[in-house]
């Protein structure tokens, strides 16, 4: 039987990233919010899962300004694994929890396109799962 645990769905304030370096502001906020939420929530049961909503790392700047895919890949899309998942991996290790998040990522097979990717980080800080959102539009 699995022991009972708490899961948290964070609702952070997000800043729209104009370049990859801007993402750190959102990661710092997410970490602060996660630490506070775990501290408050783990009174009764341990927190074993933290979920971070779509757009929380990078925002929706590309959609708002209708950026070109190639430009977004060069400016803002991330790698998995990469420095952003390493940051979240350290947070997962510190809090001994799984983290589920989403980002617009670079895929090695498609150099000029980014993909919307959900990913899971385990309590050891490793990315253990990736899922690419695919939409096919029919006419």
């Amino acid at each position: 039987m699995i022991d009972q645990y708490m899961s948290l769905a964070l609702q952070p304030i997000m800043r729209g990233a104009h370049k990859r370096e801007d993402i750190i502001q959102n990661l710092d906020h997410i970490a602060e919010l996660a630490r506070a939420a775990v501290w408050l929530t783990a009174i009764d049961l341990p927190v074993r899962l933290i979920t971070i909503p779509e757009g929380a790392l990078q925002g929706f700047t590309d959609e708002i300004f209708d950026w070109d895919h190639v430009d977004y890949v060069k400016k803002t899309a991330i790698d998995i694994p990469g420095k952003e998942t390493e940051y979240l991996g350290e947070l997962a290790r510190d809090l001994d929890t799984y983290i589920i998040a989403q980002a617009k990522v670079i895929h090695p097979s498609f150099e000029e396109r980014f993909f919307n990717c959900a990913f899971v980080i385990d309590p050891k800080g490793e990315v253990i799962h990736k899922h690419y959102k695919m939409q096919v539009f029919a006419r």
Side-chain angles (χ1 to χ4, degrees):
M1 184 167 135
I2 298 174
D3 292 336
Q4 288 187 326
Y5 64 90
M6 298 293 290
S7 61
L8 301 175
L10 300 183
Q11 289 295 315
I13 295 171
M14 164 274 298
R15 289 184 170 86
H18 290 264
K19 57 188 181 301
R20 191 169 179 175
E21 294 77 26
D22 295 340
I23 298 169
I24 192 67
Q25 292 178 315
N26 290 327
L27 288 170
D28 287 343
H29 175 63
I30 288 166
E32 182 178 19
L33 184 61
R35 290 178 195 288
V38 167
W39 176 82
L40 186 61
T41 305
I43 292 171
D44 294 323
L45 293 169
V47 173
R48 299 295 294 142
L49 175 64
I50 297 173
T51 61
I52 300 170
E54 182 174 4
L57 271 65
Q58 296 148 312
F60 300 99
T61 312
D62 63 309
E63 296 172 32
I64 293 167
F65 294 109
D66 196 26
W67 284 354
D68 179 74
H69 261 251
V70 176
D71 290 339
Y72 193 83
V73 168
K74 291 177 184 175
K75 292 180 186 177
T76 316
I78 70 169
D79 296 300
I80 296 179
K83 60 185 177 180
E84 295 81 8
T85 57
E86 288 174 12
Y87 186 108
L88 291 172
E90 184 176 325
L91 181 64
R93 280 191 302 276
D94 288 349
L95 298 176
D96 191 29
T97 188
Y98 289 84
I99 294 178
I100 299 174
Q102 173 279 340
K104 294 174 181 171
V105 305
I106 299 165
H107 192 290
S109 298
F110 304 95
E111 295 177 3
E112 295 187 337
R113 296 288 180 247
F114 65 84
F115 291 84
N116 189 328
C117 181
F119 55 94
V120 180
I121 299 174
D122 71 9
K124 296 176 186 173
E126 301 295 322
V127 175
I128 59 168
H129 181 72
K130 294 189 289 187
H131 173 77
Y132 295 95
K133 185 193 309 186
M134 304 298 283
Q135 295 178 342
V136 177
F137 298 100
R139 294 185 199 247

